[in-house]
Amino acid sequence: MAPVESFPQLNRRRISASVQSIFNAVVSAALLVLCTYVFLKFKQLDSKFDEFQTEIPVVNQRQVALEEKPKKTTSNCTIQCPRSPAPGPEGLKSAPGVPGVPGYPGNNGEPGSKGDQGKEGSRGPPGPEGPKAVPGVPGVPGYPGNNGEPGCKGDQGIRGAKGDMGLQGEIGYTGQSGAQGLPGAVGLPGPRGPKGASSSLKQVETLESCDALKKAGVKFNGVYMIDPDGPSSGLDPFQVVCDMTSDLSVGTYL
């Protein structure tokens, strides 16, 4: 069922239809007047052109008559003729010449100033009832419904044939070296060895390794205090067993 329009809407629709019909009538009348004006102008120019064609032969005849006028001849007569005591009668007045060819029409003049606005016309009668309304645009589609419940799980398919073995991949890059591990725990002290020869050093300085001790002049195996990270930071000094005799140049841990 089509929606019923209210009275203001129906009135506006009628007024719009009336204005449209009046506008179409005014445009048609303006086009008719323009076409009539152009037709009359062309007809006027055609008549002037015909008059010009008829005047050309008359002008040509006058020009030929002037060119064929007898030339004044001089006589060899020496006898003096007596003059008339009174002048002769005045000759007939010549006919007026043929009018010249009309000139071309001049250019259009400048447009005049805009006139005053006319008075507002009286309100016209209501126009005829407009055509039946066009059906409205279809509504926006609704939102999609919720998903249905999942179906039952299907049977397991047949196992496919075993595929061919793939190509061997390229050898990867060598990884970076790991960080150096922390020093291990101090082992238990070994059995007490035989008494060594007396040392000329009264006190052994705590250095960073057995090798540093050997280079400092220590030549006997034994338990020594070392400090690998220095006396000012890191771990405290700890005891290790150093081998100072197996290698003549380097001291190592046992």
Side-chain angles (χ1 to χ4, degrees), residues 100-118:
V101 180
Y104 293 101
N107 298 326
N108 295 330
E110 297 181 358
S113 58
K114 186 176 180 181
D116 300 332
Q117 185 175 358

Side-chain angles (χ1 to χ4, degrees), residues 210-211 214-215 218-221 242-254:
C210 293
D211 183 59
K214 187 168 184 179
K215 289 179 179 178
V218 178
K219 300 178 180 180
F220 304 102
N221 299 335
C242 297
D243 181 8
M244 303 296 188
T245 58
S246 298
D247 192 342
L248 300 178
S249 61
V250 180
T252 57
Y253 302 106
L254 292 178

Side-chain angles (χ1 to χ4, degrees), residues 76-130:
N76 295 328
C77 180
T78 57
I79 299 174
Q80 294 182 356
C81 297
R83 294 184 177 181
S84 176
E90 186 178 356
L92 299 176
K93 190 175 182 179
S94 61
V98 179
V101 180
Y104 293 101
N107 298 326
N108 295 330
E110 297 181 358
S113 58
K114 186 176 180 181
D116 300 332
Q117 185 175 358
K119 297 181 180 180
E120 184 178 359
S122 60
R123 185 173 182 179
E129 185 177 359

